[in-house]
Amino acid sequence: GNGSAASGDGTSTLRWATSYFPTHWDPVVSGSGAQFRELALVYASLTKTDENGNAVPDLAESWTYNDTGDQVTFHLRPKLTFSDGTPVNAAAVKAAIERAKTQKNSALFGDLTSIKSVTTSGDLDVVVQLTQTDYQIPLLFGERVLQVASPAADPTALDQKPVGAGPFVVTQLTPGTKVVLKKNPDYWDAANIHIENVELVSAPDAATVVSGLQTGVYNFADITPNNAEAAKAAGLDVFVQPGFNANNISINVNKAPFTNPKVVDAVRHAINRQEFVDKLGFGYGEATDQPFPKKYVAYDPQSADKYAYDPAKAKELLKGIPPIKLTLVIPSADPQAEIVQSQLAAVGITVDIKVDKNWATPFFAKDLTLSLYGTTGRDSAVQTLTAHFGPNGPLNLSSPYQPAGFEAAVAKVRQTPLEAADYASVLQAATRAGLESKALVFTYSSPNLLAKSKSVSALPANPGHIDWTGVKIG
Amino acid sequence: MLRRILTLRAGRLAVGILLVVALLAILGPWVAPDVPTAKPLQSLSGDHWLGTDYLGRDVFSRLLEGSRDSVLGSVLVALVALVVGVVPGLLSVLLGRVFEWTTLRLVDTLVALPFLVFAVAVTALLGNGLTQAMLVTGVLVSPLFYRVTRAATLAVAHSQYVEAARISGASIGWIVRRHVWAKVLPPIAVALAQTIGVGFIIVSSLTFLGIGVQPPAPTWGGLLASDLNYLHYRPFAPLAPALLIMVTVWASNLLADAIRDVSGAAGRALVDARKVAAR
Amino acid sequence: MSEPILRVADLSVSYGRQRVLHGVTLDVEPGETVGIIGETGSGKSTLARAVLGLVPASAGSLRVDGSDVTRFSKRQWRAFRRRGVVQYVFQDPLRSLDPDLTIADSLIEPLLVRGVARAEAVARAEELLGRVRLDPDLLGRLPGAISGGQRQRVAVARALITDPALVILDEPVSALDAANRVLVLEILRELDAALLFISHDLGSVAGIADRVAVIYRGELVEDRPTRELITAPAHAYTRLLVSSVPTLRSATSDRAARDELRALLSA
Amino acid sequence: MTIALEPGFAVIRVQRAASRVLLTVARSLAIFVPVFLVATFVTFTLRALSGLSPAHTQLGEDATPEAVARIEHEWGLDEPFLVQYWHWLGDVLRGDLGRSWSNGVSVSQLIAEGLAISLSVAVLAMLIGVVFGFAFGALAALRRGTWIDRSITGVLTVFSIMPPFVIGILLVEIFAVGLGWFPSGGYIPLEVGFSPWLGHLMLPALALSFDAIADVARQLRAGLVGAYAENYVTGAVVRGLGRRRIFLRHVLPNGVGPALAVLGLKFPVIIGASVVTEWIFGLQGFGRFANDAAQAGDVPEVQGVLVVSIVLVVSFNLIVNLVLGKITPASHRGV
Amino acid sequence: MTALAVRDLHIRDLVGDREIVRGVSFELTPGKVVGIVGESGSGKTLTCRAALGILPEHFVVSAGSIEIGGRDIAGLSDAEWTGLRGSTISAVFQDPASYLNPSMRVGAQIAEVIRVKKRASRREARRRAVELLAAVHLRDPALVYEQYTYELSGGMLQRVLIAAAIAADPAVLIADEATTALDVIVQAEILDLLADLRARAGLALLVVSHDLAVIAQLCDEVLVLRDGEVVERGETADVLHEPRHEYTRLLISEHEQYGLDKYLEAVDV
Ligand SMILES: Nc1ncnc2c1ncn2[C@@H]1O[C@H](COP(=O)(O)OP(=O)(O)OP(=O)(O)O)[C@@H](O)[C@H]1O
Ligand SMILES: Nc1ncnc2c1ncn2[C@@H]1O[C@H](COP(=O)(O)OP(=O)(O)OP(=O)(O)O)[C@@H](O)[C@H]1O
Ligand SMILES: [Mg+2]
Ligand SMILES: [Mg+2]
């Protein structure tokens, strides 16, 4: 390989090609999970997560709950400013939370149902009143839900002129394609940011991303597993950023044939998770039957292998049921669909794959019978659980159906402080309750696979996040 | 006509290749060996003549299976273009000025559109089906047929022999049947052969962009596009579908040239000259 | 006295705004051969096309074989043409025969259009070929495979196949060489039909026409028996024409007279 | 006598040239206006048929029917179809292509940014196409019937039957990864420096030019061979003019017409194929924008793409017609 | 001195493998006019082309010789031919429009010859070209200079073609069916023009036609060609009065039976 073609400029520039280039730079509006990693270049949040998925300080130095657990106060770091000079104070954070709750095109208000009101106490203390006891709030106010934009900036202009208090400042932005940033000297942790410039571009065809890395057009990019070998062969560092990715088969129990629980069970047993890993993972990723990775606190070992791969049993369950023909609707061509198709075919269920650009309409209106979805997860495990299994969870194709006992189990988690001794078991119980849901069959977790040129040093292994603290280039 | 084409070496070659392709299209899905899925991305072996794909399916069978859709796809493109182009092309000469003006403007419109951009955009609007992609592409290449038909018809309509027929009291129908058809058909055949080639390239490009794919139904273009993603594992894999596409396109072009060469009086002379030379 | 086969009275024809013929009056009696002479663009072909109904008259009237065709509708024209009373021979025989039809098919087209059975039509075609001194072998060939002289004779035969009363010939011999020219002229001389023989070359008309009409810039300037016209041309254009026709005996002697007439006409 | 005529020459010449340009412009406009109306109307109709809506791009996982209706109202999509078209057309005529559904940015602005890149690539591709197309075509015509002619024809055939994405990936593998001559993708603005700019444009332009090279060369060859067979070449030979002069002054101007006409048609093809090449070469140009817009179902963007491509192509044709008219007035007779 | 001498010329078609012209001879001296008549395909054009060194592909001079200005053309190089054509021997043909470049102003095509052959300056060439256009009796030569072929009539084009052919003052001009497609009146004008040129500039002319009367207008000597062979040759008057070959007699009788001659004779008598 030849790494010098375009990297001769000396200063430490991160040239990042991403397949998830943000469609919108207002953190309140942007909807997709993966894009928050890019937005985090510009915006800091109240908290962030550490390697174990625990909430740690970001803009907030610390936080304190009241005794009943229905009020939490975040204590901000002093003397911080947004890149437009506006101070990062309690008023600014209050405004940010309220904007996320009220702005017309907010994609977040569904996540903020626990928030009753926000008040300030002094310049640096933000007091959040909750509708219920909810110890998840510090996790919630991380990168996914509360990236804080400057209150002085016009919200409608944020898309083109993002103003945050993150590690970098946007100098030039071409919507949908490219953004150029430079280091923010006023970032609270600027001392640990060693990258001077960032050029983030929307990635080309997956097959040519590796060539781009190899020839120095980029020095950092997400890659697809099938390109990992090639990237390694080209002398690149290939690594997996841990995360909460989990793919599932979404089932609508309100529609035939899934109104029949036997059919649902048959599907559960027909799925060979390992085949997904073998064929799509190229040595990365793992089979999963939960929306959490094995070592994560929310992972419930008791639920493991509850519906093991057993085609014989699936066929048995389908006996006496008239032949089933299903349409699997997906937004774009995806080999997962072909695997699902062939596995279901093996137990006698015929599946037609339909690629529909308009997929989102029927999916979120819960009009589909069978579909696929993959989540990138959330920092708060409760949030992940309610999104998938809750009666109004966007990822629950069977709304308003929810598994029995799930609601109570979740409430219990919220009421358990994160540092409580039984937090893990309470949380796992909620996961167990959720997994009773007939609406979802988890298949495998695709890895957050990244490749970088050797000149870029290793990244902190924070799950689901791409954190540039301490990373050096050169 | 076919007999005349076959007197040319290029014509025989083209017809031969296209016959094989047609056979593939008709029989392909039937004769495709039903090989069970195996380890993905194997290279060539006795079990898998062309290796296996990313899901472990036998590439050779997939190519055979894909023949029908691939061929039908570009034939559909050509047929749509034919229907949309030829009829107005003929009528633009024979019907009144208003029709002529309108169709000419429409054709100007279509020609002005950047092909792929439009195909991509319209398929997006129409929904992501192979059929939609094909229809759009067909309409987009129809100006070729319109122009070819119109030019040939115009030339004939203003010829002295058509005037001679009119002087004898012949009707429009008579003139079209007796004089126009024979002149218009060869250029249409040329255009048809060309369009089949163009259709292949366009449909495969759209597939590459992920437009018009309906998995798991394979097409040559789709196989080619997906093979490009696994170059590291099977570097020569794209060769098979690429060659199939290119040879088919090439044969279509050859056929178009051959038809052009042998049609009309000059073509007849050429063929006669060859016959004489062969004796 | 019988009615003339063609009676053109005060005919004017325009293409759009451009007036091509003005007030042309001309009668052709049955069996008579009339030459029409004029320079390029003078309107000779236009006159012929008007007679055939291919261009409408803007003024004046046309009677052909006793019918007033001036105001005929398309349908009437088609019916009238099918009777085959008037036929037409083009200058360039290659272009007036469909290159994809055999000689036989081209020949019998006027009969087929009329609804005559094919066998009958072919028999008639064979008979006609003899009259134009062609071998019946030719019937199966394509126009590209016979010589120019033969083609022009085919075109003449095609015109004769309906037994027309009037044949209009537009420069029928100017593309032919001497031998073929003589042959075609001989064939034409034997015909009973009235002929309207169009040419820019007085020489080729002189031997066959009973009368010659001279068109100059869309007007019929002279219409007289051939001998009279040649020996005592009245109009300046006719005089120039007569002195311009190359003959075996004229040499550059008339040069001065020609220059004078040219000057007169271009003034 | 001749001296008195000199200004006469000039006046006649200028008048003729001016009226020719005016005529070409008028004719192109006469074609453009109806083309434009028809094309925009069709695209607009397609939008109505597509059932796509800005709501989902924006609302993501929160798309309740009420929220969807609210957003559609905001975008004026609940108005009658013709009213919508009328508003849209009015805006377009004022140069406003509306706002993107995904991020509300002005579509004109988005396209303008991408267009700079795409046009650089397209122009370079056209240049390569012209240079190599003419060189190959002329060489084949001058050596017609020889092995040179045959091998050029063979290569051109291969060029023309390769799908554009295969060409693109081959070029990346050979020139970027293999030889390391050019970067494999990306774009560097001209301000940064000429040679990095050109270097980044080179491969995509090359990929786009293949088809143009093949077609231009083929047409030029046919045109030149045809022109060589014309009587005026015999005429020039008989008047004692040299080979080179005959080629440059008599054969080329008359034989180049079809090649130029094809060149005119190549422009839309190149703009079209840029959808593929920009996807491969990671260029954020017009083609990539078109693809992204289409894949995202962002209708205002898609419509903007269509409008701009029509305008582009028509203006390009205008230029080609003017050039063609300058080189060969015969084109005015439709010869 | 002979301007053009053709001696026992044979031309062979290599593909059809037959001799198409068999033994044509004639000699042109300054001011002399030789005519060739013959039916279509008799080899008239091939003879002219041989003299110009532009035989179509696969035709060759298989025997005999051609001398231009005393120089044998066998073995002339390309460059030598280029030097010879235009300035020593030149030609005009039937269908003048096709022999002029449609995309160049006609005047420029004449000036081009003057510039190349006479090494004249641009201005000088233009001046001479306009003069030449006047010399071939074109009215308003300055306007014609600026026009394109499609703007001119057949007669005007033939004059332009002649002007271009004589622009470099050749000794021999070949006129192959130069008047065939023209109106008789225009034909007479062109024939008069050719006679003028011969008288004024001492141009030697080779006139080809299938019309004996056209030849009779101009020529001192006539060759009658049939099937590639000269069947009759001699002084024009002799040939007309005492045709020996039957084909010549056919040519004459065509005029006597169908042409103007019979009427004119009546006047003469
Ligand atoms: N279809 C037409 N549309 C417009 N003008 C025409 C048309 N046909 C002929 N003309 C014009 O009408 C005039 C007479 O044409 P016509 O063909 O009758 O002449 P002609 O005497 O037959 O000439 P030629 O000897 O060249 O055949 C010419 O000026 C010609 O340009
Ligand atoms: N380029 C060519 N290719 C093939 N055959 C040719 C070619 N030119 C002439 N011939 C043949 O050579 C013979 C003599 O042709 P040539 O052109 O000299 O005749 P011509 O006397 O000039 O006839 P015309 O009066 O028709 O002009 C003819 O039989 C013709 O078919
Ligand atoms: Mg005429
Ligand atoms: Mg000749």
Side-chain angles (χ1 to χ4, degrees), chain A residues 3-4 6-15 194-195 213 216 218-220 235-237 451-459 468 470-474:
Chain A
S4 66
S7 60
D9 56 359
T11 60
S12 55
T13 299
L14 176 74
R15 279 183 292 275
H194 309 298
I195 296 172
L213 286 163
Y218 322 114
N219 52 19
F220 189 85
L236 300 165
D237 275 341
K452 62 180 182 60
S453 110
K454 292 230 166 18
S455 61
V456 179
S457 70
L459 268 61
W468 298 102
V471 177
K472 292 188 173 145
I473 298 179

Side-chain angles (χ1 to χ4, degrees), chain C residues 15 18 20 39-46 171:
Chain C
Y15 289 111
Q18 188 199 359
V20 175
E39 62 183 343
T40 294
S42 56
K44 308 179 296 287
S45 300
T46 304
E171 310 259 11

Side-chain angles (χ1 to χ4, degrees), chain C:
Chain C
M1 192 186 140
S2 65
E3 157 130 6
I5 186 73
L6 173 67
R7 168 155 267 177
V8 180
D10 207 17
L11 177 76
S12 295
V13 175
S14 306
Y15 289 111
R17 288 239 188 92
Q18 188 199 359
R19 192 105 173 289
V20 175
L21 286 179
H22 341 219
V24 171
T25 300
L26 179 74
D27 283 0
V28 179
E29 302 296 333
E32 192 187 19
T33 300
V34 177
I36 306 276
I37 296 291
E39 62 183 343
T40 294
S42 56
K44 308 179 296 287
S45 300
T46 304
L47 176 59
R49 292 170 62 78
V51 172
L52 290 158
L54 297 173
V55 282
S58 51
S61 73
L62 276 170
R63 289 179 73 78
V64 183
D65 195 24
S67 344
D68 185 348
V69 301
T70 326
R71 303 272 171 268
F72 264 14
S73 67
K74 273 193 178 176
R75 183 185 291 272
Q76 282 174 305
W77 264 117
R78 202 179 302 148
F80 179 74
R81 288 177 186 146
R82 285 187 183 176
R83 281 172 48 203
V85 176
V86 186
Q87 285 291 7
Y88 192 84
V89 176
F90 292 88
Q91 170 176 355
D92 183 351
L94 183 57
R95 286 196 289 149
S96 64
L97 298 175
D98 187 328
D100 290 322
L101 294 188
T102 60
I103 300 299
D105 281 335
S106 286
L107 265 180
I108 62 175
E109 184 173 38
L111 293 182
L112 294 185
V113 166
R114 260 193 199 183
V116 175
R118 202 186 153 83
E120 193 184 319
V122 171
R124 171 113 179 88
E126 275 167 2
E127 176 198 327
L128 264 175
L129 277 188
R131 266 171 76 189
V132 296
R133 326 248 200 298
L134 287 175
D135 206 320
D137 282 1
L138 255 47
L139 281 177
R141 297 217 213 147
L142 292 170
I146 61 175
S147 78
Q150 290 173 326
R151 263 182 234 134
Q152 193 59 297
R153 279 178 273 155
V154 170
V156 171
R158 181 191 151 105
L160 298 182
I161 204 159
T162 57
D163 261 331
L166 172 66
V167 181
I168 302 174
L169 304 127
D170 197 347
E171 310 259 11
V173 294
S174 55
L176 304 180
D177 65 1
N180 276 305
R181 185 154 32 196
V182 170
L183 196 52
V184 170
L185 288 174
E186 249 165 42
I187 292 165
L188 292 177
R189 250 220 293 234
E190 291 164 7
L191 298 179
D192 305 329
L195 304 181
L196 197 59
F197 192 120
I198 296 174
S199 178
H200 64 81
D201 179 5
L202 187 53
S204 59
V205 175
I208 187 170
D210 305 316
R211 232 170 72 215
V212 175
V214 180
I215 297 192
Y216 183 60
R217 305 204 171 154
E219 286 182 60
L220 198 144
V221 294
E222 231 172 311
D223 175 8
R224 296 159 58 197
T226 312
R227 175 173 297 269
E228 230 176 88
L229 184 104
I230 292 171
T231 51
H235 193 266
Y237 174 74
T238 320
R239 279 177 10 233
L240 176 58
L241 190 68
V242 171
S243 77
S244 293
V245 176
T247 63
L248 294 175
R249 35 200 18 262
S250 69
T252 39
S253 55
D254 307 350
R255 176 70 193 272
R258 281 203 292 270
D259 283 342
E260 212 172 281
L261 285 166
R262 279 172 200 150
L264 184 70
L265 284 170
S266 64

Side-chain angles (χ1 to χ4, degrees), chain A residues 168-334:
Chain A
F168 299 96
V169 185
V170 171
T171 58
Q172 187 201 329
L173 190 155
T174 312
T177 58
K178 179 171 183 180
V179 56
V180 181
L181 309 100
K182 64 177 192 329
K183 181 177 164 177
N184 177 9
D186 298 329
Y187 177 56
W188 68 267
D189 199 15
N192 287 316
I193 298 295
H194 309 298
I195 296 172
E196 294 298 327
N197 299 295
V198 179
E199 284 171 30
L200 179 74
V201 297
S202 168
D205 185 44
T208 52
V209 169
V210 173
S211 315
L213 286 163
Q214 199 176 349
T215 55
V217 178
Y218 322 114
N219 52 19
F220 189 85
D222 54 284
I223 58 171
T224 46
N226 52 314
N227 284 308
E229 276 299 310
K232 276 192 224 159
L236 300 165
D237 275 341
V238 176
F239 64 100
V240 176
Q241 190 71 2
F244 306 117
N245 294 355
N247 296 300
N248 69 54
I249 300 169
S250 301
I251 289 171
N252 193 335
V253 297
N254 304 319
K255 290 190 187 278
F258 297 115
T259 43
N260 181 348
K262 277 191 180 168
V263 178
V264 175
D265 281 348
V267 171
R268 283 166 158 166
H269 286 295
I271 296 306
N272 176 2
R273 297 176 174 77
Q274 194 54 39
E275 187 179 351
F276 288 84
V277 181
D278 290 346
K279 292 195 168 160
L280 306 179
F282 291 82
Y284 298 92
E286 54 189 18
T288 182
D289 44 17
Q290 303 188 20
F292 306 109
K294 284 213 170 66
K295 288 191 201 99
Y296 188 58
V297 57
Y299 182 84
D300 176 38
Q302 288 181 42
S303 303
D305 269 341
K306 190 153 178 215
Y307 296 95
Y309 173 50
D310 190 348
K313 188 161 179 194
K315 277 188 207 157
E316 182 68 37
L317 283 163
L318 290 175
K319 239 184 217 143
I321 296 177
I324 298 174
K325 263 188 105 119
L326 293 166
T327 307
L328 175 61
V329 184
I330 48 176
S332 60
D334 184 348

Side-chain angles (χ1 to χ4, degrees), chain E residues 39-46 94 176-177 208:
Chain E
E39 63 185 338
S40 197
S42 56
K44 306 182 296 285
T45 298
L46 284 182
Q94 188 181 352
D176 183 359
E177 311 260 17
V208 172

Side-chain angles (χ1 to χ4, degrees), chain A residues 268-406:
Chain A
R268 283 166 158 166
H269 286 295
I271 296 306
N272 176 2
R273 297 176 174 77
Q274 194 54 39
E275 187 179 351
F276 288 84
V277 181
D278 290 346
K279 292 195 168 160
L280 306 179
F282 291 82
Y284 298 92
E286 54 189 18
T288 182
D289 44 17
Q290 303 188 20
F292 306 109
K294 284 213 170 66
K295 288 191 201 99
Y296 188 58
V297 57
Y299 182 84
D300 176 38
Q302 288 181 42
S303 303
D305 269 341
K306 190 153 178 215
Y307 296 95
Y309 173 50
D310 190 348
K313 188 161 179 194
K315 277 188 207 157
E316 182 68 37
L317 283 163
L318 290 175
K319 239 184 217 143
I321 296 177
I324 298 174
K325 263 188 105 119
L326 293 166
T327 307
L328 175 61
V329 184
I330 48 176
S332 60
D334 184 348
Q336 279 188 67
E338 290 172 76
I339 295 180
V340 170
Q341 185 185 41
S342 75
Q343 293 185 355
L344 291 186
V347 300
I349 300 178
T350 314
V351 173
D352 272 343
I353 298 170
K354 182 172 165 223
V355 178
D356 180 6
K357 194 142 280 141
N358 240 342
W359 164 88
T361 308
F363 184 84
F364 291 114
K366 325 281 186 186
D367 278 340
L368 299 177
T369 306
L370 186 66
S371 189
L372 297 178
Y373 198 86
T375 181
T376 51
R378 284 148 166 81
D379 294 339
S380 154
V382 169
Q383 219 190 334
T384 305
L385 289 173
T386 50
H388 282 100
F389 307 120
N392 299 313
L395 312 184
N396 175 6
L397 191 56
S398 300
S399 293
Y401 157 82
Q402 64 173 328
F406 175 67

Side-chain angles (χ1 to χ4, degrees), chain B residues 50-84:
Chain B
L50 293 174
T52 58
D53 76 353
Y54 57 99
L55 291 181
R57 294 171 295 204
D58 182 54
V59 172
F60 181 68
S61 331
R62 300 259 307 154
L63 273 180
L64 285 178
E65 266 173 61
S67 306
R68 180 169 299 172
D69 279 357
S70 315
V71 173
L72 275 185
S74 37
V75 169
L76 183 63
V77 167
L79 287 182
V80 169
L82 181 90
V83 172
V84 178

